[in-house]
Amino acid sequence: MRRSVALTVNGQARTVEVEPRTMLVQALRDGLGLTGTHVGCDTSQCGACTVLMDGMAVKSCTVLAVQADGSAVTTIEGMAHDGELHPLQDAFWENHGLQCGFCTPGMIMTAADLLAGNPDPTDTEIRHALEGNFCRCTGYQNIVKSIRAAAEQMRAASVGGGGQAS
Amino acid sequence: MIPAAFDYAKASSVDEALDLLAADGSRALAGGHSILPLLKLRLAHADRLVDIGGLAELKGVAAHDGGLRIGALTTYRELLDSALVSQGYPLLAEATDRIADLQVRNRGTVGGGVAHADPASDMAGILLALDAAFVLRSRGGTRTVASRDFFRGAFTTALAPGELLTEIVLPPLPAGAGTAYAVQEQAASGYPIAGVAAVVRRSAGGCDHVAVGVNGVADAAYRAAATEATLRGTAGDAAAIAAAAARVAEGVRVQGDIHAPAEYRAHLVSVMAGRALERAIARSA
Ligand SMILES: Cc1cc2nc3c(=O)[nH]c(=O)nc-3n(C[C@H](O)[C@H](O)[C@H](O)COP(=O)(O)OP(=O)(O)OC[C@H]3O[C@@H](n4cnc5c(N)ncnc54)[C@H](O)[C@@H]3O)c2cc1C
Ligand code: FES
Ligand code: FES
């Protein structure tokens, strides 16, 4: 009983054949070969599988691929443009926001949702937004710092008019 | 983890959803954040999921009769984004911002949380304190059930098989009432160990409106009748608050688990009750 699901993934129209029980994360990783989205807990706790679905951060291990039919999905692979890292990716690199990197795609996608609605978050707001993302390496300090730095860069870019769409 | 195979149907109207749900083994799917983890763990079973997620008629927050109507499919995020909620029902806004995490609030619906009826659910205690009513629709018609008659036990509600919760109706807050939610969460999961929501109005003659909802403590969320009766008519001073808070678990069987044995939880909920009442009274104009 496979079904065809139509998605716009990182700006491109894609279709993927799935069973009703297939989770979005499996459709992305196994169906479309986009392995940047990770599976940590597989029980909606850790946030490693976070992607944007119609602009909103969701845990793709807890969304059926068929529920996403017709949606626009952005994964970590869709963040860089023309070989240039997204400000969030750049900031994580510059600020030691990652060690092993396993949690990083999820952290960045959640941060992208936060910054879209709140371009100048306080540290408390950043930490509140990251409650559903676990990191076993960094101790979070540098993740918060990275998101703050990215926010600053994105604000500067949008004031300058040369901002990169996220 | 992969759930056992199930069939999937997307409903395009409430009537169609009700027809699909009439079949044995069919279950409603809203945001999926309670049912999908259970299916993955194979703690729940469905032959067919009926996706109600596309039903626009069940979404959104609107002013109604001085109060609010909240469509069952409204997500926590949409509640937080609603000015009607933040301005009119600060209790709802304050508590919603603490539910789960950003991603879960983006997908989880108020109606799904209510229908799932986890005894710990923050929303259950809050909706009880706000005197919410639930509108339920089946193929036989529509009925309205008061929140105090809705939560029957752990994961058990007044919903009949094949029935859908379509909206949550909030009456206006009594003019001048103060509201507060005090909760102790389990540190790892964020689920409440004990949560107390209070709506209190203190006027010249004393506390004349007292509504207290409790979640996380008994096998179902409940209204703390003894606490309400003890506070009602008093001046709402510290002694009255203490006397009322001490009775918050009266008449219920307090649950114990690895996070909080029953004796500890009973003490904890009285502390939460004291905090919620104190704050609600301080905010009452
Ligand atoms: C990581 C995580 C953390 C969480 N933390 C908290 C927390 O801190 N506090 C808290 O209160 N909750 C918490 N939750 C629970 C969350 O609030 C619920 O999972 C969510 O609201 C359920 O809504 P849904 O739309 O996803 O429901 P679904 O999973 O789609 O449905 C849940 C159940 O309700 C039924 N159902 C759904 N909609 C209707 C309807 N309209 N009519 C009749 N039946 C219906 C379904 O058949 C199913 O049985 C957490 C969940 C997760 C995954
Ligand atoms: S893998 Fe989805 S939340 Fe952990
Ligand atoms: S960098 Fe290793 S889990 Fe976060």
Side-chain angles (χ1 to χ4, degrees), chain A residues 110-134:
Chain A
T110 304
D113 183 341
L114 168 72
L115 297 184
N118 181 357
D120 190 9
T122 63
D123 282 9
T124 308
E125 287 168 340
I126 294 173
R127 287 179 185 277
H128 182 54
L130 295 182
E131 268 166 20
N133 291 78
F134 299 169

Side-chain angles (χ1 to χ4, degrees), chain A residues 25 38-50 58-62 102 132 134, chain B residues 40 101 103:
Chain A
V25 70
H38 295 161
V39 179
C41 65
D42 205 9
T43 55
S44 63
Q45 311 290 320
C46 77
C49 64
T50 303
V58 303
K59 292 176 171 176
S60 61
C61 72
T62 311
F102 192 85
F134 299 169
Chain B
K40 287 168 82 172
D101 53 54
Q103 295 97 312

Side-chain angles (χ1 to χ4, degrees), chain A residues 1 3 19-21 23 26 41-45 47 50 53 55-59 61-64 66-67 106 110 113-114 128-129 131-134, chain B residues 1-10 29-34 36-37 40-42 49 51 77 97-98 100-107 188-189:
Chain A
M1 253 185 330
R3 286 153 196 264
E19 283 186 76
R21 62 176 164 173
M23 296 297 159
Q26 289 166 265
C41 65
D42 205 9
T43 55
S44 63
Q45 311 290 320
T50 303
M53 193 170 138
M56 282 186 294
V58 303
K59 292 176 171 176
C61 72
T62 311
V63 177
L64 295 174
V66 287
Q67 284 179 293
T110 304
D113 183 341
L114 168 72
H128 182 54
E131 268 166 20
N133 291 78
F134 299 169
Chain B
M1 278 173 296
I2 298 170
F6 49 75
D7 197 5
Y8 169 88
K10 185 156 179 139
L29 173 70
H33 274 56
S34 286
L36 294 178
K40 287 168 82 172
L41 294 165
R42 304 204 178 199
L49 289 184
D51 190 351
R77 180 187 181 131
D97 194 41
R98 302 190 61 141
D101 53 54
L102 179 144
Q103 295 97 312
V104 175
R105 288 192 296 271
N106 279 343
R107 287 291 294 167
S189 74

Side-chain angles (χ1 to χ4, degrees), chain B residues 14 25 44 50 55 61 93 107 118 127 152 206 223 226 247 250 284:
Chain B
V14 174
V50 177
L55 302 179
V61 180
R107 287 291 294 167
D118 187 318
L127 294 176
R152 299 272 167 90
R223 282 280 291 260
R247 301 186 66 188
E250 214 169 282
S284 174

Side-chain angles (χ1 to χ4, degrees), chain A residues 43-45 59, chain B residues 27-37 52 58 72 76 98-101 104 107-113 115-116 120-123 159 163-166 189-192:
Chain A
T43 55
S44 63
Q45 311 290 320
K59 292 176 171 176
Chain B
R27 295 186 66 168
L29 173 70
H33 274 56
S34 286
I35 196 170
L36 294 178
I52 58 172
L58 300 186
Y76 296 123
R98 302 190 61 141
I99 291 180
D101 53 54
V104 175
R107 287 291 294 167
T109 66
V110 184
H116 185 61
S121 157
D122 296 282
M123 203 46 83
L159 276 165
E163 200 169 30
L164 278 180
L165 169 63
T166 56
S189 74
Y191 273 95

Side-chain angles (χ1 to χ4, degrees), chain B residues 1-83:
Chain B
M1 278 173 296
I2 298 170
F6 49 75
D7 197 5
Y8 169 88
K10 185 156 179 139
S12 51
S13 68
V14 174
D15 286 328
E16 189 192 354
L18 292 171
D19 286 342
L20 290 163
L21 285 168
D24 270 355
S26 284
R27 295 186 66 168
L29 173 70
H33 274 56
S34 286
I35 196 170
L36 294 178
L38 289 177
L39 290 170
K40 287 168 82 172
L41 294 165
R42 304 204 178 199
L43 292 171
H45 174 83
D47 294 327
R48 175 167 60 188
L49 289 184
V50 177
D51 190 351
I52 58 172
L55 302 179
E57 52 195 302
L58 300 186
K59 284 184 198 163
V61 180
H64 165 72
D65 254 357
L68 280 192
R69 300 173 90 106
I70 300 171
L73 277 181
T74 307
T75 60
Y76 296 123
R77 180 187 181 131
E78 286 159 352
L79 274 191
L80 285 171
D81 287 347
S82 159

